[in-house]
């Protein structure tokens, strides 16, 4: 379910277009359903999704049907789960076998013969989608993605072995910078010639790779391509969550506060991580939800940070002072 929740915001602006102008309450109902899911109230969530679909003559956005299937499966209602999966598999909306087969919410469905039927249809959908992709660009961006991530993944091991601030770590950062420069040349060529391409042209990994390379570039380059990414997000050609991360990084680069809390700092003295200067901390989760990001406390926990908005507000002057050093 979580992987699907990440991209919920991609198509929110298209709800009235896809479902019709008489479905103004649809988003309200589906949002309530997602809140119930987060509280593990799966039967109530499934019922709330059903109410949302009924509002629009049994129409619904594909990701809501997917999440409804998750809730019904976790509630021990396989028939209801398969109904939702069948709808989005047969209309071609569900086209990623990896996400479906690895989603733990559906473990209870795996022994049912209907599961293999759904997987087979999704595989057919995926092959059709892949046929439409620009294979040459996909291959280029695959190489760029691997180069972008490989050396960053190795960094943690280098730090543990030689210590933060060691010559070896500095040399590794220089290697990362060198690879980033090469990757940026390739990505800028694509963006300048063809614009911010969507998943329908370069796939999900390729689309994310465009973001990663720009995110890891200098401030001037980030600002140059920010308007392009904003327009792409409006059209569904860029993930709103990725755009939020870029917005945060640029804001901090300009000496402003971030909006979504995506950027993390580290105290060189204590070694502890902290959320870099954040605007309106008490409402950050509302902003994060709007772009499909989960609660800040869950994200912060990855870095060993215990998120508490009120405490953070008190600590903010100290955090800003650290950034000023």
């Amino acid at each position: 379910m979580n992987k699907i929740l990440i991209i919920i915001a991609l198509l929110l602006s298209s709800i009235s277009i896809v479902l019709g102008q008489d479905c103004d309450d649809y988003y309200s109902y589906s949002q309530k359903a997602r809140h119930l899911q987060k509280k593990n109230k799966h039967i109530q969530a499934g019922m709330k999704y059903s109410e949302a679909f009924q509002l629009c003559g049994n129409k619904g956005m594909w990701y809501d049907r997917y999440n409804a299937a998750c809730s019904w499966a976790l509630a021990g209602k396989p028939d209801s789960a398969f109904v939702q999966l069948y709808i989005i598999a047969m209309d071609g909306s569900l086209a990623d076998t990896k996400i479906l087969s690895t989603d733990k919410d559906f473990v209870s469905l795996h022994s049912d013969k209907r599961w293999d039927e759904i997987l087979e249809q999704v595989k057919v959908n995926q092959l059709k989608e892949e046929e439409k992709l620009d294979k040459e660009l996909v291959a280029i961006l695959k190489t760029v993605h691997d180069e972008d991530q490989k050396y960053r993944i190795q960094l943690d091991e280098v730090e543990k072995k030689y210590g933060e601030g060691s010559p070896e770590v500095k040399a590794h950062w220089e290697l990362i910078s060198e690879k980033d420069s090469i990757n940026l040349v390739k990505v800028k060529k694509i963006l300048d010639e063809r614009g911010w391409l969507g998943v329908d042209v370069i796939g999900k990994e390729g689309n994310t790779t465009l973001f990663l390379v720009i995110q890891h570039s200098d401030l001037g380059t980030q600002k140059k391509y920010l308007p392009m990414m904003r327009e792409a997000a409006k059209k569904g050609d860029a993930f709103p969550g990725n755009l939020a991360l870029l917005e945060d990084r640029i804001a901090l680069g300009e000496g402003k506060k971030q909006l979504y809390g995506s950027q993390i700092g580290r105290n060189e003295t204590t070694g502890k991580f902290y959320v870099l200067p954040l605007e309106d901390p008490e409402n950050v989760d509302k902003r994060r939800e709007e772009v499909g990001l989960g609660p800040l406390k869950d994200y912060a926990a990855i870095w060993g940070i215990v998120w508490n908005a009120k405490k953070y507000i008190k600590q903010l002057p100290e955090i800003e002072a650290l950034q000023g050093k």
Side-chain angles (χ1 to χ4, degrees):
M1 179 174 67
N2 289 338
K3 291 180 180 178
I4 296 300
L5 286 173
I6 290 174
I7 58 174
I8 280 173
L10 266 173
L11 300 174
L12 291 182
S13 62
S14 66
I15 284 178
S16 62
I17 298 173
V18 176
L19 302 183
Q21 297 298 328
D22 57 341
C23 298
D24 292 340
D25 292 331
Y26 178 89
Y27 176 60
S28 174
Y29 275 72
S30 60
Q31 189 176 44
K32 289 176 183 177
R34 288 193 288 276
H35 284 306
L36 289 167
Q37 281 182 305
K38 291 177 182 178
K39 295 179 180 179
N40 294 319
K41 296 181 179 180
H42 299 299
I43 289 181
Q44 296 95 318
M47 293 175 66
K48 188 60 67 175
Y49 276 122
S50 294
E51 291 179 41
F53 304 148
Q54 290 168 10
L55 280 173
C56 303
N58 204 33
K59 294 179 181 178
M61 304 303 287
W62 76 269
Y63 47 78
D64 285 330
R65 289 198 181 279
Y66 184 98
N67 286 329
C70 289
S71 284
W72 287 126
L74 291 169
K77 304 290 184 181
D79 291 345
S80 296
F82 277 115
V83 166
Q84 300 303 327
L85 288 175
Y86 181 82
I87 290 172
I88 56 178
M90 294 309 295
D91 71 8
S93 300
L94 188 55
D96 193 321
T97 55
K98 184 178 180 180
I99 285 180
L100 184 63
S101 61
T102 59
D103 195 325
K104 295 180 181 179
D105 290 355
F106 295 130
V107 169
S108 64
L109 306 182
H110 289 182
S111 59
D112 193 305
K113 65 178 183 180
R114 291 173 290 183
W115 179 253
D116 290 333
E117 294 172 5
I118 294 292
L119 270 180
E120 187 60 33
Q121 181 59 49
V122 173
K123 183 178 181 180
V124 170
N125 297 341
Q126 184 171 324
L127 289 173
K128 288 181 179 179
E129 289 295 319
E130 289 174 350
E131 287 175 1
K132 302 175 186 176
L133 300 181
D134 186 320
K135 293 179 176 56
E136 183 179 349
L137 279 184
V138 169
I140 292 171
L141 289 169
K142 171 65 175 173
T143 301
V144 170
H145 181 274
D146 291 346
E147 290 290 289
D148 180 274
Q149 292 296 294
K150 178 170 63 176
Y151 302 102
R152 285 179 166 84
I153 292 171
Q154 293 173 355
L155 183 61
D156 186 53
E157 184 179 339
V158 176
E159 284 187 347
K160 286 179 180 178
K161 185 174 182 179
Y162 298 104
E164 187 181 0
S166 65
E168 289 80 4
V169 169
K170 290 180 180 178
H172 198 78
W173 268 115
E174 290 176 0
L175 176 61
I176 290 174
S177 180
E178 178 185 335
K179 298 296 182 181
D180 284 352
S181 297
I182 296 171
N183 287 338
L184 184 58
V185 171
K186 297 176 182 179
V187 165
K188 286 175 71 173
K189 185 176 189 298
I190 294 171
L191 294 176
D192 292 343
E193 292 180 358
R194 300 190 57 179
W196 203 287
L197 300 172
V199 297
D200 58 327
V201 180
I202 54 176
K204 293 175 184 176
E205 183 178 282
N207 184 265
T208 298
T209 299
L210 297 180
F211 154 73
L212 286 174
V213 173
I214 298 303
Q215 177 83 335
H216 294 150
S217 66
D218 61 278
L219 180 60
T221 300
Q222 292 169 358
K223 291 173 68 175
K224 175 182 176 180
Y225 292 103
L226 177 61
M228 182 185 291
M229 190 178 185
R230 283 174 176 164
E231 286 302 311
K234 289 179 183 178
K235 295 187 296 183
D237 288 338
F239 295 108
N242 287 344
L243 174 60
L245 268 61
L246 183 59
E247 298 268 14
D248 272 358
R249 186 163 289 201
I250 290 175
L252 291 169
E254 294 179 327
K256 303 173 184 175
K257 295 177 182 176
Q258 59 178 326
L259 287 175
Y260 303 98
S262 66
Q263 304 302 300
I264 305 298
R266 188 175 188 178
N267 189 315
E268 294 182 3
T269 303
T270 65
K272 292 184 177 181
F273 293 98
Y274 58 91
V275 177
L276 290 167
L278 174 65
E279 188 74 39
D280 188 17
E282 292 183 306
N283 290 302
V284 63
D285 282 342
K286 292 180 182 178
R287 298 191 295 274
R288 288 176 66 86
E289 185 174 13
E290 288 172 357
V291 295
L293 297 175
L296 183 54
K297 69 175 182 179
D298 295 341
Y299 177 70
I302 297 172
W303 309 90
I305 302 168
V306 178
W307 173 251
N308 181 297
K310 287 184 170 55
K311 288 183 178 179
Y312 180 84
I313 291 171
K314 293 179 180 178
Q315 296 169 347
L316 191 52
E318 180 183 343
I319 290 172
E320 291 179 309
L322 282 172
Q323 287 307 107
K325 288 184 178 180

